[in-house]
Structure formats: C-alpha cells, structure tokens
Amino acid sequence: MNSFSLKTLQIEITTKCNFDCAMCLHAQNSLERNEISIDLFTKIAKEVFSGLDHLILYGVGEPLTHPNFLTLLDISRTYLPPHAKIEFTSNGSLLTADFLEKILKYKVDRIIISVDSPFLAKSRKMREGFNPEVFKNLKVLAEAYQSGKIPDLAIETVVSKQNLYDLSYLVEFCAEMGIPKIFLSHLLPYTVEMEKDSLFLPISADAFTLLDKIGELGWEILNQVILTPNYHKFINSEHNSQIQQILNSISEAQINNIDFDLQKIMDVIQKKQTIKNAQRVFKEISNLAEKNHILIDLPPLFAESTQRECPFAARNGLFISFDGNVIPCYNFGHEHKVVINHHERLVKPYILGNLNDPNISFKDILQSSKVKRIHSVLNSISRQVPFCGDCVYSTQNCYYITDNSSDCYGNTPGCNECLYSVGFVKCLFDI
C-alpha cells in the first residue's frame, strides 16, 4: 500500500453565512453554525502546515464571517512553507476595499467569488442576501488583480436551467471587469426539484446516444401500435424494421461494451433538449471566453466512468470540518441527501479522526492504514470503484445505492455515485 503525503488541505473555518442560497447545503440541512477555534487551527498548523503545497480556507459557510479571519491568515503564513498557496472562496459581500487590503498583506494567492449571474435580480433570486456591494467589491478585486496585488482571481458559477442563458453575459461581464477565470459547476441535486433543474445526466455519452435512438424508435412503434388494429401481430412481426433496429442497437452496444440502463430512456427523452441547449451555450461561451482571453472550466454533461478522478485523492488532499473532524473529502463533510439515478441517496460523514481529542494527533491520522487504503483506492477510482450511472441496478433499489456506507466492490466508504468524481460538481480548482 502506497504511503500518503498530505499536500492539499481544505479547512472549513466556519459554517456561518450571511447569505441564504437556494443551492446550498444550509437550505437542506439544519447544520450547526459555528467556527473553528484559534487553538484548534494553531494545533493543525503546527502539525502539518510545513508539508503543504496548498491551503484552502472555506467549506459550508462564508469564510469572511469568521471573527478572526486575519489571525487565521497570519497563523497560516507563519507555519506554511514559502511556496505554499493560500486560497479561499467567498460570496464577496464582505470583501470591501479596506478588508481586502488587510487580507493581501498575508500573500493570499487566489480568491474565488461566487457569482451565478451578472444581473442583480437573478443573483438575488438564486442567492438570498446578494446585494450590489458584491459587484462593487468585485471591481476592487479585479483592479487588485490587474495591478499585481493578487496573483489569481476567479468567478465560480453554479449552472442550472435558471441561469444557463445568463452565461454569455457573465463572460462579457468578466471581460469588462478584467477577471481572468471562470469555473462552472453543475447544481448538486439535493432534491427532486433540483435534479429537474440540473443540466446533466449521470450516464455516458454513448449510453445517451443509444437510449435516444431507442426512444425515438419506441415512439414510432407506439404510434404504429395505436393506429394498428391487430397490434399484437405488428409487435410480433420479425420483419418490423423499428423493432429490428432496436435489437440491433442493443446487440451492437453489448459488442462494444457500452453499459446502459433501459429504465433511463425517459430521462433521455425529457432532458434531451435541455442538454442540446447546454451544449450550444457551452460552445458559445467557450468561444467567447477564448476571444476575451478568459480561461473557462466547463463541466461535462455526461458521466464517463473510465475518466473519473477523485479531486482530493489526486491532489493528496484532506478536508477538516470546523469542529475538527478529519475527512477524506468535502463531499463526506456533512450529512446530506442527493437525488440521482431515480433514487435518494444519503451521504453520511466519514470521519477519520477528530483533532479535538487530546489522544489523537494529525500525524497519527495521516499515518493510519485507513487513510492509506482510501487514497490508494481513490487514486485509481476508475478501476477500483464501480460507477452506478449506466448500471441496470441503479434504478432497481440496489442495496449499495441507499447511502455511502460501501459499494458492490467492497470499498468503504462508497463513492459509486460521486458527482464530484465525474466532474459534474467542482470542489477543488486547478486552472
């Protein structure tokens, strides 16, 4: 089993927030609203910061609401090696010019601001609490970036049906502001309504093409059955061209090792136009971003199981919640539900240890066989972890889809329906 060397650490410094965003975990769960103590943060810093390349200071909450945010930055710079980068994501409402000036004294390498639309009314609808000060502060941030006071600046956008057609205007907005990067992430569907509002399908592109073809042929057959008095003869006919095409398509898919679930034909039919619209808009904004010299990171619309990557394992990373729990990744930080593959999945916290325990050191956790095992598996997630998207059992009440306890390969915890691993939802950013 390979050894584990921590290089990326995300610390949730607070779960408090001054916004009430519809897509946030806070809107779905009654999470405790609290912040990490200075003592605990200092303990972590002394133990492991010296080996880090990347420190990320945010989680489920607005980091700037922490009353000692500047102290946390000071502690970070004290114990981090000179090359290590500090990053945080903010809603931007508290990032005034005066506060930014104080923050930049600690050599923060990247600030990411959550903005879903350049239009105030839409932003207020999606993020309750959003106000014009965000745009004002963003302008100050952009000026700081342009003058070289901050190395990197980006916008993070949660994309759904609600704001799909705002994206081209958002690219133009960033071009006018001088913001160099945009990260797009799909809506994480905590509810059935949110799943309907999302733009993606958790199946492969090949499965989508196959199911779309079968669906279209199926409608043709249904129409003919309705118009044919002796429909049973029509259905049983070996010479019916549509039925033969369906059977041939299924045989061809099996020969080419394309997994698919016929239960998802209606998903494809219902979301086909949405996906086509998203493909068109994504192409448009990609060209627009290139024209304006903006780097844009677009999420996929389909899930390719052979191309999965665990963002935390790939970066030798871990997540620490505000209360000291050490966790393999952001997704396992707090209990929540996700709607996927026709069912509701309970995602429970998976805790490697708690740093408030005086008998546990962070280094003990890092050297544990549990951490090494998890990272060994997740570093080859495409081979060692199943993906349920195209599996026929994912819509049939399979034992391994109700929660993240385990998967059908015997892995614990279960990452078999992780939307982060297929790139739909983003937790860590590279470009």
Side-chain angles (χ1 to χ4, degrees):
M1 189 178 296
N2 295 330
S3 60
F4 174 72
S5 177
L6 182 67
K7 294 299 177 184
T8 299
L9 182 62
Q10 180 174 355
I11 302 179
E12 179 181 64
I13 60 175
T14 182
T15 52
K16 295 179 180 179
C17 192
N18 57 335
F19 279 13
D20 188 13
C21 304
M23 77 287 288
C24 180
L25 186 57
H26 272 303
Q28 318 303 324
N29 264 9
S30 299
L31 294 180
E32 179 183 352
R33 297 189 181 231
N34 210 331
E35 65 259 337
I36 196 168
S37 69
I38 295 298
D39 288 344
L40 178 56
F41 191 87
T42 303
K43 175 186 177 181
I44 298 167
K46 288 181 177 179
E47 284 199 50
V48 299
F49 276 20
S50 62
L52 295 181
D53 293 332
H54 194 184
L55 177 65
I56 304 161
L57 300 177
Y58 74 93
V60 182
E62 168 53 45
L64 300 188
T65 63
H66 195 293
N68 299 302
F69 183 72
L70 295 177
T71 302
L72 299 181
L73 289 179
D74 186 32
I75 295 169
S76 300
R77 274 298 166 217
T78 298
Y79 291 98
L80 285 170
H83 73 275
K85 295 182 178 181
I86 297 177
E87 169 188 318
F88 67 87
T89 295
S90 167
N91 61 36
S93 62
L94 303 176
L95 204 53
T96 61
D98 290 342
F99 199 13
L100 177 63
E101 187 176 345
K102 294 175 182 177
I103 287 172
L104 295 183
K105 290 179 181 179
Y106 298 99
K107 299 179 183 178
V108 172
D109 296 274
R110 178 158 68 182
I111 298 176
I112 302 173
I113 304 297
S114 299
V115 177
D116 300 317
S117 172
F119 305 120
L120 183 59
K122 179 66 71 64
S123 294
R124 280 176 164 167
K125 180 181 178 182
M126 298 183 72
R127 296 183 182 269
E128 187 176 333
F130 194 98
N131 57 66
E133 291 299 308
V134 175
F135 292 144
K136 179 182 176 181
N137 295 341
L138 194 53
K139 184 177 181 181
V140 173
L141 259 175
E143 290 171 352
Y145 168 75
Q146 295 293 337
S147 63
K149 293 180 181 179
I150 177 171
D152 203 3
L153 174 65
I155 290 292
E156 179 190 7
T157 300
V158 177
V159 61
S160 66
K161 290 179 182 178
Q162 289 189 53
N163 63 338
L164 177 64
Y165 297 108
D166 293 354
L167 296 181
S168 59
Y169 298 104
L170 184 65
V171 174
E172 292 174 348
F173 170 82
C174 289
E176 291 173 6
M177 282 273 195
I179 298 168
K181 296 177 182 178
I182 304 173
F183 299 119
L184 262 62
S185 180
H186 285 298
L187 182 69
L188 183 61
Y190 297 119
T191 65
V192 172
E193 291 73 22
M194 293 174 79
E195 193 280 329
K196 291 178 181 177
D197 198 31
S198 68
L199 302 176
F200 63 85
L201 275 176
I203 61 176
S204 69
D206 286 338
F208 175 83
T209 300
L210 173 67
L211 294 175
D212 181 35
K213 182 179 180 180
I214 293 175
E216 289 185 353
L217 290 168
W219 282 120
E220 291 179 20
I221 292 171
L222 181 60
N223 288 333
Q224 292 179 51
V225 166
I226 292 170
L227 297 173
T228 303
N230 297 320
Y231 66 89
H232 59 283
K233 293 182 180 179
F234 170 82
I235 291 293
N236 292 327
S237 173
E238 294 180 2
H239 303 291
N240 182 276
S241 61
Q242 285 91 356
I243 292 176
Q244 286 303 313
Q245 286 182 61
I246 289 176
L247 296 175
N248 291 340
S249 296
I250 291 174
S251 296
E252 184 178 344
Q254 291 171 337
I255 292 171
N256 293 318
N257 294 317
I258 298 173
D259 293 325
F260 59 93
D261 180 4
L262 289 172
Q263 290 281 343
K264 293 184 178 177
I265 287 179
M266 289 306 299
D267 297 6
V268 171
I269 291 172
Q270 291 169 357
K271 227 164 196 176
K272 178 180 177 180
Q273 192 57 52
T274 296
I275 287 178
K276 282 188 173 182
N277 293 341
Q279 288 173 327
R280 178 176 54 80
V281 171
F282 281 13
K283 183 177 180 180
E284 177 185 323
I285 63 173
S286 180
N287 292 335
L288 189 60
E290 183 178 2
K291 178 182 176 182
N292 287 282
H293 308 291
I294 293 174
L295 292 174
I296 189 166
D297 184 21
L298 299 171
L301 296 167
F302 303 108
E304 303 300 336
S305 63
T306 60
Q307 298 173 24
R308 284 176 294 155
E309 177 187 87
C310 171
F312 275 81
R315 294 159 184 79
N316 279 16
L318 289 173
F319 177 85
I320 300 178
S321 60
F322 76 95
D323 51 0
N325 287 327
V326 181
I327 298 162
C329 67
Y330 176 83
N331 189 38
F332 290 161
H334 301 282
E335 183 171 306
H336 62 278
K337 294 177 180 178
V338 176
V339 175
I340 181 174
N341 297 322
H342 298 192
H343 64 267
E344 190 176 75
R345 179 183 179 90
L346 177 64
V347 180
K348 300 177 290 187
Y350 188 82
I351 301 168
L352 300 168
N354 188 283
L355 298 174
N356 283 306
D357 187 337
N359 298 315
I360 296 178
S361 73
F362 201 166
K363 290 185 177 179
D364 290 338
I365 295 173
L366 294 179
Q367 293 169 5
S368 68
S369 59
K370 183 183 289 188
V371 169
K372 294 175 183 178
R373 174 183 57 78
I374 290 172
H375 273 263
S376 176
V377 170
L378 295 183
N379 268 318
S380 54
I381 187 171
S382 291
R383 290 187 295 103
Q384 296 198 54
V385 178
F387 185 69
C388 302
D390 295 317
C391 176
V392 295
Y393 299 110
S394 69
T395 55
Q396 301 296 318
N397 297 317
C398 173
Y399 174 81
Y400 297 103
I401 61 174
T402 56
D403 61 34
N404 63 320
S405 297
S406 61
D407 63 40
C408 60
Y409 285 11
N411 297 309
T412 301
C415 302
N416 42 313
E417 289 184 304
C418 178
L419 297 181
Y420 295 88
S421 70
V422 290
F424 286 154
V425 187
K426 302 297 176 71
C427 52
L428 299 176
F429 307 99
D430 283 333
I431 65 169

